[in-house]
């Protein structure tokens, strides 16, 4: 934990050449059970990103929700649940 609270990020690391990229997903994210998708919160929206292609679907969330908990995937990779608080 950092002084002002917990923080985390997700790094994509290339094992072939050692290069890495910060995916800038903040501290609320999850990778799907089939390892094809990444879900994360950014700018008051939920993003679902296909990890191979980089294509994203973006879903707006009502502004009243500021804090997001852990994203949890259904076993079939078709649904996501998460807690959100005002």
């Amino acid at each position: 934990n950092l002084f002002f609270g917990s923080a985390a990020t997700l790094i994509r690391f290339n094992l072939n050449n050692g290069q890495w990229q910060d995916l800038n997903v903040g501290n609320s994210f999850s990778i799907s059970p089939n390892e094809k998708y990444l879900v994360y919160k950014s700018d008051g929206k939920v993003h679902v990103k296909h990890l191979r292609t980089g294509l994203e679907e973006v879903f707006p969330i009502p502004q009243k929700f500021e804090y997001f908990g852990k994203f949890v995937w259904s076993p079939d990779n078709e649904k996501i649940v998460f807690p959100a608080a005002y």
Side-chain angles (χ1 to χ4, degrees):
N1 287 344
L2 297 177
F3 182 75
F4 293 108
S6 64
T9 191
L10 189 62
I11 304 293
R12 186 175 211 158
F13 188 75
N14 186 321
L15 296 174
N16 293 319
N17 61 20
Q19 292 182 340
W20 63 275
Q21 174 189 13
D22 184 344
L23 297 178
N24 295 314
V25 298
N27 61 1
S28 187
F29 61 86
S30 179
I31 295 174
S32 64
N34 65 6
E35 299 179 351
K36 290 184 179 182
Y37 301 96
L38 166 69
V39 62
Y40 66 96
K41 181 232 179 218
S42 178
D43 300 323
K45 298 175 182 131
V46 172
H47 298 249
V48 179
K49 183 175 193 168
H50 189 277
L51 289 172
R52 184 162 295 224
T53 66
L55 295 175
E56 285 189 343
E57 285 189 70
V58 181
F59 303 92
I61 299 295
Q63 284 186 321
K64 65 182 177 181
F65 297 110
E66 297 179 24
Y67 302 102
F68 287 69
K70 181 179 179 185
F71 290 98
V72 178
W73 290 85
S74 63
D76 64 2
N77 307 287
E78 295 291 322
K79 297 179 181 121
I80 302 163
V81 296
F82 58 93
Y86 294 44

